[in-house]
């Protein structure tokens, strides 16, 4: 992995120079402020983090380096990991080097197979996935070297990268094993050394041999890989890693955040939502029926899954990319048709709901991603967030590698009490 490490090192050195300049010339310059509403409202819109792997523009969506969707959507997940870490796409030999390494490290250790098979079946697949990542924690080379006192601070990132490649290499086999053993109740499929990482995941799930399914899995992995630093899962993972907990701990923690219905679980909730609509109105509901259904849900105090976003203020370009894929491969899917009708109905309702309080009435990625997985044969909704988690691990890993390369310290913001805040307000009057 010498070329990969060299390219990541170059990126870290470059970013490090920028940081040194900013600190030297502008260390005390104030670039933002915080309102009481932000302090009490989940820090929404507060600029408080630097993340160099990706950036979310409220109106243009996800950027990785200078690339926006659709510029990178046809790339392999491995290429995207390279881009997240090194800030550039790999050339042919660089890609081959990373792919060889991923293939070499893909096998799961025996103890993990035993662990997977013994997991209680009632657990949600996200719980299984997170537990399995944690169960691999002893593999961490970073941890071994750190405990042996063999690591200098400037080498931390390098061993995070070692751990990242080992972990990412195992995720297709690990996730597919959970799916096949616990959801399908079938035996796992063998890893295929001649396939790329994403095609291997598609192959090992074993539900659909069509090339377009592998294409969908790769697209799914690419679109979910990272979404800057402040979302629940990425931030959690980074905070945990900032205490020098290794990437297995940090990834498991991030996955636990992703498992919430306001975050990654929304894709499974969306599919249930659509299925509920079909059960009630049939597979071709009218827009008036959808309108009434959505209003009922809101009146019952429930959120409309797949709509809204903390940062985006337009339709999520990831939603659009999936819609285009669906239009090409399964235009007649009743689920896709209902997604389209909801897209026509929901924004207009959310725009006026709660007197316009919903900051973004448009769909996010979760409004459609599960529909495509379902259409291509992943019939167990509970698995959709695991698919999200496999992909998001690219981002968790890349963010921590870069942050440690840049010597970023342990994350520890200051919290205050109501009393402190009220006293401060009184003083400000
Ligand atoms: N349906 C109903 N109400 C919604 C809503 C929706 N889809 N989106 C926002 N609102 C409501 C909020 O609940 C909030 O109401 P209260 O003040 O009464 O609590 C109000 O509108 C203002 O919220 P906001 O500023 O627009 O949104 P937030 O930044 O607070 O929250 C969420 C962003 C994504 C959590 C929110 O839009 C939501 O709950 N959406 C539905 C769940 C969902 O799709 N989650 C996935 C998001 C993408 C993601 O992270 N994927 O992993």
């Amino acid at each position: 992995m010498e070329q990969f490490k060299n390219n990541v090192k170059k990126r870290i050195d470059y970013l490090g120079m920028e940081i040194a300049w900013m600190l030297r010339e502008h260390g005390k310059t104030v670039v933002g402020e915080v309102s009481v509403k932000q302090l009490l409202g989940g820090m929404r819109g507060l600029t408080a983090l630097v993340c160099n792997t990706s950036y979310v523009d409220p109106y243009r969506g996800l950027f990785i380096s200078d690339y926006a969707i659709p510029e990178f959507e046809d790339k392999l997940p491995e290429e995207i990991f390279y881009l997240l870490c090194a800030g550039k796409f790999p050339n042919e030999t660089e890609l081959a080097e990373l792919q060889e390494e991923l293939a070499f490290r893909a096998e799961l250790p025996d103890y993990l197979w035993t662990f997977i098979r013994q997991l209680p079946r009632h657990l949600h697949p996200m719980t299984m996935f997170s537990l399995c990542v944690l169960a691999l924690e002893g593999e961490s080379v970073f941890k071994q070297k750190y405990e042996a006192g063999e690591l200098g601070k400037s080498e931390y990132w390098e061993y995070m990268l070692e751990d990242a490649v080992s972990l990412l290499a195992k995720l297709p086999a690990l996730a597919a094993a959970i799916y096949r053993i616990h959801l399908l109740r079938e035996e796992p499929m063998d890893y295929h050394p001649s396939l790329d990482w994403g095609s291997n995941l598609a192959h090992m799930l074993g539900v659909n041999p069509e090339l377009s399914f592998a294409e969908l899995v790769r697209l799914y992995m690419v679109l979910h890989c990272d979404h800057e630093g402040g979302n629940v899962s990425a931030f959690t993972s980074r905070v945990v890693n900032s205490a020098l907990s290794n990437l297995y701990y940090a990834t498991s923690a991030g996955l636990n955040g992703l498992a919430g219905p306001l975050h990654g679980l929304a894709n499974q909730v969306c599919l249930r939502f659509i299925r509920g609509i079909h059960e009630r109105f049939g597979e071709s509901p009218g827009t008036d029926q959808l309108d009434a259904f959505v209003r009922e849900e809101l009146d019952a105090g429930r959120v409309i899954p797949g709509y809204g976003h903390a940062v985006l203020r337009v339709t999520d370009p990831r939603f659009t990319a999936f819609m285009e894929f669906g239009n090409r491969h399964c235009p007649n899917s009743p689920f896709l048709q209902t997604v389209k009708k909801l897209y026509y109905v929901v924004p207009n309702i959310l725009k006026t709901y709660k007197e316009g309080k919903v900051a973004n009435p448009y769909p996010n990625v979760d409004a459609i991603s599960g529909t495509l997985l379902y259409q291509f044969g992943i019939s167990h909704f509970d698995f959709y967030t695991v698919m999200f988690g496999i992909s998001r691990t690219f981002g968790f890993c890349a963010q921590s590698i870069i942050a440690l390369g840049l010597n970023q310290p342990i994350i520890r913001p200051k919290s205050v009490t109501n009393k402190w805040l009220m006293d401060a307000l009184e003083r400000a009057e």
Side-chain angles (χ1 to χ4, degrees):
M1 284 208 299
E2 282 319 299
Q3 298 181 82
F4 187 27
K5 282 187 186 166
N6 286 341
N7 283 326
V8 176
K9 174 89 173 72
K10 273 188 210 157
R11 174 121 191 264
I12 288 170
D13 287 347
Y14 184 80
L15 293 169
M17 268 169 22
E18 290 180 334
I19 287 177
W21 176 81
M22 286 189 280
L23 284 174
R24 194 177 56 244
E25 302 293 326
H26 295 284
K28 292 194 174 157
T29 306
V30 176
V31 291
E33 50 186 19
V34 55
S35 68
V36 173
K37 190 174 172 197
Q38 286 175 314
L39 267 188
L40 296 172
M43 299 190 278
R44 195 73 73 262
L46 177 69
T47 302
L49 299 164
V50 173
C51 166
N52 283 295
T53 55
S54 70
Y55 172 74
V56 178
D57 181 287
Y59 301 96
R60 296 178 64 197
L62 173 64
F63 277 76
I64 308 180
S65 288
D66 292 333
Y67 302 97
I69 298 167
E71 290 163 326
F72 59 79
E73 68 185 42
D74 60 343
K75 296 288 182 187
L76 296 173
E78 304 89 297
E79 293 177 284
I80 296 294
F81 182 55
Y82 215 104
L83 180 64
L84 288 168
C85 294
K88 73 171 205 86
F89 284 118
N91 62 29
E92 220 173 287
T93 51
E94 289 165 344
L95 177 61
E97 181 200 52
L98 176 59
Q99 287 182 316
E100 263 172 42
E101 207 60 46
L102 287 167
F104 183 67
R105 302 180 190 202
E107 207 171 306
L108 303 184
D110 287 345
Y111 67 82
L112 194 72
W113 282 112
T114 312
F115 187 77
I116 295 172
R117 288 185 187 280
Q118 287 176 353
L119 286 166
R121 206 152 254 165
H122 69 272
L123 295 181
H124 189 281
M126 271 304 269
T127 314
M128 296 188 190
F129 188 44
S130 176
L131 284 170
C132 286
V133 168
L134 207 51
L136 281 169
E137 189 270 329
E139 305 287 320
S140 169
V141 185
F142 174 85
K143 173 184 147 160
Q144 290 156 20
K145 295 252 175 207
Y146 189 88
E147 281 178 2
E150 290 171 8
L151 275 190
K153 220 173 176 182
S154 63
E155 295 166 304
Y156 288 173
W157 71 270
E158 210 177 317
Y159 289 92
M160 287 293 158
L161 190 145
E162 280 292 337
D163 282 353
V165 174
S166 298
L167 172 60
L168 290 167
K170 291 177 178 53
L171 293 188
L174 164 48
I178 291 172
Y179 191 66
R180 292 191 62 81
I181 294 172
H182 290 287
L183 299 174
L184 295 184
R185 303 197 179 199
E186 293 193 28
E187 279 305 297
M189 312 263 294
D190 284 338
Y191 181 83
H192 216 302
S194 67
L195 294 176
D196 61 75
W197 182 94
S199 302
N200 243 311
L201 173 57
H203 156 73
M204 282 190 283
L205 288 168
V207 292
N208 187 335
E210 288 171 34
L211 284 180
S212 51
F213 177 59
E215 202 185 315
L216 171 63
V217 169
R218 289 195 300 262
L219 178 66
Y220 195 101
M221 293 297 127
V222 165
L223 293 181
H224 287 87
C225 67
D226 202 30
H227 221 224
E228 69 173 40
N231 64 79
V232 166
S233 55
F235 186 49
T236 304
S237 163
R238 184 75 267 289
V239 170
V240 170
N241 178 256
S242 81
L244 297 187
S245 298
N246 62 57
L247 276 181
Y248 296 88
Y249 280 126
T251 297
S252 178
L255 292 172
N256 298 343
L258 193 68
L262 295 188
H263 193 13
L265 200 79
N267 58 11
Q268 122 172 19
V269 181
C270 273
L271 242 277
R272 286 199 202 290
F273 185 76
I274 296 175
R275 197 170 63 176
I277 290 172
H278 286 183
E279 277 165 8
R280 182 141 152 214
F281 304 111
E283 286 198 337
S284 185
T287 49
D288 49 339
Q289 289 172 316
L290 292 179
D291 190 291
F293 186 83
V294 167
R295 288 180 198 278
E296 261 177 43
E297 290 292 301
L298 292 171
D299 288 346
R302 289 187 278 272
V303 295
I304 306 306
Y307 281 78
H309 201 273
V311 176
L312 290 170
R313 294 296 172 259
V314 290
T315 296
D316 189 338
R318 299 171 299 174
F319 173 91
T320 310
F322 274 137
M323 182 62 85
E324 283 165 7
F325 183 93
N327 285 339
R328 278 200 308 278
H329 293 281
C330 52
N332 301 321
S333 149
F335 278 72
L336 189 68
Q337 291 300 329
T338 301
V339 168
K340 283 186 189 177
K341 287 179 196 163
L342 284 169
Y343 186 27
Y344 179 72
V345 165
V346 176
N348 287 331
I349 299 176
L350 289 184
K351 274 177 200 168
T352 52
Y353 176 62
K354 290 187 175 172
E355 294 162 346
K357 206 176 170 195
V358 180
N360 180 38
Y362 301 106
N364 59 60
V365 67
D366 297 314
I368 188 167
S369 56
T371 294
L372 297 176
L373 292 178
Y374 183 79
Q375 190 60 36
F376 277 77
I378 309 266
S379 50
H380 294 264
F381 301 175
D382 289 5
F383 195 68
Y384 298 169
T385 313
V386 174
M387 293 289 284
F388 192 156
I390 304 169
S391 166
R392 192 47 70 88
T393 303
F394 282 107
F396 298 159
C397 291
Q399 290 196 17
S400 287
I401 292 164
I402 298 296
L404 288 187
L406 293 173
N407 236 333
Q408 288 185 359
I410 188 166
I411 296 173
R412 199 334 183 165
K414 176 81 185 85
S415 67
V416 295
T417 59
N418 267 9
K419 182 173 180 327
W420 184 98
L421 199 49
M422 285 189 294
D423 289 348
L425 293 174
E426 210 175 295
R427 282 196 302 275
E429 267 181 6

